[in-house]
Amino acid sequence: MNHLQPADYAVFLLYFIVVSGYGYWIYRRRKTSETNTKDFFLAEGSLTWWAIGASLIASNISAEHFIGMAGSGFAMGLAISSYEWIAAATLIIVAVYFIPIYLRNHIYTMPQFLAQRYNDTVSTILAIFWLVVYVLVNLTSILYLGAIAIESLAGISFTTCTIGLALFAILITLGGMKVIGYTDVIQVVVLVCGGLVVTYLALQLVADKLGLDGVWNGLLSLRTQADSHFHMYFPEGHPHYYTLPGMALVTGGMWVNNLSYWGCNQYIVQRALGADLKTARSGILFAAFLKLLIPLIVVIPGIAAYVLYQNGTFQEAMTGSNGAVRPDNAYPVLMNLLPTGMKGLAFAALTAAVVASLAGKCNSISTIFTLDIYKKFFDPNASEQKLVRVGRYAVVVAFAIAIVIAPMLRSFDQVYQYIQEYTNFVSPGVFAIFLLGFFWKRTTTRAALTAAILSIPLSVLLKFWPEVMDVVGIQAAEIPFLHRTMWVFCLDIALMVVVTLTDPASHQHDKGLDIDQKMFHVTPSFIAGSVVILTVLAVLYTNFW
């Protein structure tokens, strides 16, 4: 059941040859006589709008979406789609307001923005933090979850999976952002096609189980069979309220979470930093359209698995050794039901999601280390060629660390949920620093340092709020993650405003960015695309609220 057939391996081999061959062709075709840092890290001027959009999605989607979000679809339903659908609206805001500021001020890395807007101290603190989190948490967890998923599907050992995924990603990453951007187009095509195959099969299984005719009827039957799984709003007291708390899905913490991720994250923003404004905006809008599609690929199969389980299908496969239902088994179980050949395509889709995320993440690690640490502190006069070489060494070292640490994550329960929560301890502070840095000229370095230093302690305090209050004999309810995110963001903003207004340096502070109101103007085609996305979102939330 867990092993691929020769035809599946043939499909996967074809995928590997196409991606590797296309990447090498792009590398040779667009190779300059002397590769410089802007070319290697940003692919300056080389990525088209569709390559930028595809690369954004390929970097964002990984094994945790296929496994984790499908599992959440099984457990709680369509509400988990808010992370994807609100991201579509968030990308419009990033395209209109954030990207023009970065491009006008020639920003190549997020630490560079902080150095330019505040000072090197703020920049270095967050550069080190980002490097630690990207290598020890994000890169490692992507590798771990990807290896676990492929191990369950193909029966390949965990160690072999980690090494194989790392080598495949290194092959792509060493070619620079041009190769990553254009191979991501193939990765997204494979990811979407493979994902839709699993969705199609799941809905066909539902239709067959219920005696219905066709996939469309299978899709329509999901709502009647699992009405509880088609509501976007969870009131207080709902079993999943703590995970997805009420209005926070469309207000407050969800926006802070998304704006920080999509607008202040080197891993994501880097794709658009080497393009002109029109191309960057078009690419981001394309990514927003793709975001609307993701729940169909990862959440609907999870709900279909729930309906099948409720009707007596694969009871044993969905149950752990302790007898409890394991929602995260939903997607692997469905994939194992695919016919020969199609399973190979799903295997390729899963690998594409993992490898694209690994390559994108490691390119950002390499960029920050080379430009914001190595060049600044170790060799300010390094040549462009030497910096590119250092960037490539950083890629290899980062993957070596991830391969060593990945097996250690086996000792944790629900790795993805913990990572998502704890890495967001700093997101409210980062977003506050960027937001006031963008739009309030008086914001001082001291204010930015205050938010950078206090964000984690404030998040920890609110995380363990019931225990803290229990010490003084007061009972307090646990604060949901998204509410904590919003509270910490508001506290950070308030602290930054107070520190700035009481800082004598604020009157002499002249480190505002080059901002012109005209840079926020958008084209009629961008407005039309944005209206379509927002209309689709309004219809979805109205229909499923």
Side-chain angles (χ1 to χ4, degrees):
M1 178 180 176
N2 286 336
H3 292 278
L4 302 179
Q5 300 302 313
D8 297 314
Y9 284 112
V11 172
F12 179 80
L13 182 62
L14 177 64
Y15 150 74
F16 178 81
I17 291 172
V18 169
V19 171
S20 302
Y22 183 63
Y24 183 73
W25 180 73
I26 289 291
Y27 175 73
R28 299 297 301 177
R29 180 170 176 260
R30 296 178 178 269
K31 184 180 179 182
T32 56
S33 56
E34 290 187 349
T35 302
N36 58 38
T37 51
K38 291 180 184 178
D39 187 60
F40 182 76
F41 295 117
L42 300 175
E44 190 168 35
S46 298
L47 296 183
T48 58
W49 64 267
W50 43 270
I52 291 171
S55 190
L56 279 167
I57 296 303
S59 297
N60 170 238
I61 304 300
S62 191
E64 66 265 24
H65 281 77
F66 282 97
I67 307 302
M69 288 197 77
S72 294
F74 182 99
M76 65 185 76
L78 201 62
I80 195 66
S81 301
S82 281
Y83 279 101
E84 305 304 304
W85 289 341
I86 295 299
T90 301
L91 282 164
I92 295 172
I93 296 173
V94 170
V96 175
Y97 295 106
F98 288 37
I99 292 299
I101 295 174
Y102 291 139
L103 296 182
R104 171 66 70 88
N105 292 274
H106 307 290
I107 301 299
Y108 304 127
T109 72
M110 298 301 97
Q112 180 204 342
F113 164 80
L114 296 173
Q116 187 170 319
R117 177 59 182 84
Y118 298 109
N119 68 5
D120 283 341
T121 303
V122 176
S123 170
T124 302
I125 287 173
L126 286 175
I128 292 171
F129 171 81
W130 274 317
L131 281 177
V132 170
V133 170
Y134 283 177
V135 176
L136 300 184
V137 178
N138 297 126
L139 191 70
T140 304
S141 65
I142 293 170
L143 191 61
Y144 167 77
L145 290 168
I148 286 290
I150 291 172
E151 181 186 39
S152 69
L153 172 68
I156 302 170
S157 74
F158 177 83
T159 302
T160 302
C161 287
T162 55
I163 295 173
L165 288 170
L167 289 176
F168 193 179
I170 288 172
L171 181 68
I172 293 172
T173 312
L174 292 181
M177 183 54 77
K178 283 196 297 284
V179 174
I180 293 172
Y182 281 104
T183 54
D184 277 351
V185 176
I186 299 178
Q187 307 278 42
V188 164
V189 171
V190 173
L191 186 158
V192 171
C193 290
L196 288 174
V197 165
V198 176
T199 302
Y200 180 90
L201 172 77
L203 295 176
Q204 186 63 59
L205 287 172
V206 170
D208 293 343
K209 186 71 177 179
L210 299 177
L212 303 172
D213 184 29
V215 169
W216 180 249
N217 286 325
L219 177 62
L220 295 178
S221 71
L222 292 185
R223 193 164 188 181
T224 57
Q225 291 288 313
D227 180 67
S228 62
H229 280 53
F230 282 88
H231 297 285
M232 303 299 295
Y233 175 80
F234 291 163
E236 194 167 356
H238 189 281
H240 298 294
Y241 175 79
Y242 181 79
T243 306
L244 300 171
M247 289 300 295
L249 293 190
V250 290
T251 60
M254 182 63 80
W255 286 96
V256 174
N257 189 53
N258 273 285
L259 286 166
S260 178
Y261 179 84
W262 292 101
C264 313
N265 184 351
Q266 181 73 29
Y267 175 42
I268 296 299
V269 177
Q270 188 165 338
R271 273 105 194 98
L273 295 183
D276 61 82
L277 182 56
K278 183 180 179 182
T279 303
R281 276 178 167 163
S282 298
I284 293 171
L285 193 65
F286 178 46
F289 274 105
L290 291 176
K291 265 296 180 185
L292 296 176
L293 181 65
I294 299 303
L296 180 62
I297 296 172
V298 295
V299 180
I300 293 299
I303 299 175
Y306 172 79
V307 171
L308 289 167
Y309 177 80
Q310 291 296 102
N311 282 273
T313 305
F314 44 72
Q315 299 283 313
E316 185 178 341
M318 287 302 302
T319 306
S321 57
N322 60 354
V325 175
R326 294 181 60 85
D328 283 356
N329 286 358
Y331 205 84
V333 164
L334 290 172
M335 289 177 73
N336 279 315
L337 294 176
L338 287 169
T340 300
M342 288 296 98
K343 189 184 288 188
L345 179 59
F347 180 35
L350 186 59
T351 304
V354 175
V355 168
S357 289
L358 289 172
K361 182 67 73 178
C362 209
N363 184 264
S364 296
I365 291 166
S366 174
T367 304
I368 292 176
F369 175 78
T370 304
L371 300 183
D372 297 299
I373 301 295
Y374 181 82
K375 184 179 181 182
K376 188 180 290 185
F377 297 105
F378 294 98
D379 193 353
N381 300 316
S383 66
E384 291 286 294
Q385 288 68 44
K386 183 175 183 181
L387 291 174
V388 170
R389 237 181 4 259
V390 169
R392 287 185 169 133
Y393 291 148
V395 168
V396 175
V397 171
F399 271 114
I401 294 171
I403 289 172
V404 171
I405 295 176
M408 300 178 190
L409 297 186
R410 281 184 179 274
S411 61
F412 289 91
D413 242 355
Q414 304 200 357
V415 172
Y416 177 64
Q417 284 84 347
Y418 284 120
I419 289 168
Q420 185 182 49
E421 180 170 349
Y422 288 106
T423 54
N424 269 282
F425 272 23
V426 79
S427 294
V430 169
F431 183 48
I433 291 168
F434 273 73
L435 188 65
L436 292 186
F438 284 151
F439 302 115
W440 193 28
K441 262 192 168 186
R442 287 186 63 182
T443 311
T444 63
T445 298
R446 187 179 295 177
L449 283 171
T450 300
I453 293 169
L454 292 182
S455 273
I456 293 178
L458 286 171
S459 295
V460 171
L461 175 66
L462 293 183
K463 163 69 176 175
F464 299 103
W465 185 247
E467 289 86 347
V468 172
M469 296 306 291
D470 189 53
V471 172
V472 295
I474 299 175
Q475 283 192 331
E478 195 170 359
I479 303 173
F481 158 62
L482 289 174
H483 289 343
R484 292 203 315 268
T485 300
M486 189 61 186
W487 273 107
V488 174
F489 171 71
C490 291
L491 289 170
D492 282 331
I493 289 287
L495 286 168
M496 289 183 71
V497 170
V498 171
V499 171
T500 295
L501 294 178
T502 57
D503 187 351
S506 67
H507 299 290
Q508 296 85 36
H509 194 70
D510 190 25
K511 297 197 77 172
L513 301 165
D514 180 9
I515 295 178
D516 178 356
Q517 293 299 322
K518 292 181 180 178
M519 63 200 278
F520 301 123
H521 293 172
V522 292
T523 62
S525 60
F526 184 91
I527 293 173
S530 300
V531 168
V532 170
I533 289 171
L534 295 176
T535 301
V536 170
L537 289 174
V539 170
L540 287 169
Y541 275 95
T542 301
N543 192 36
F544 296 117
W545 188 250

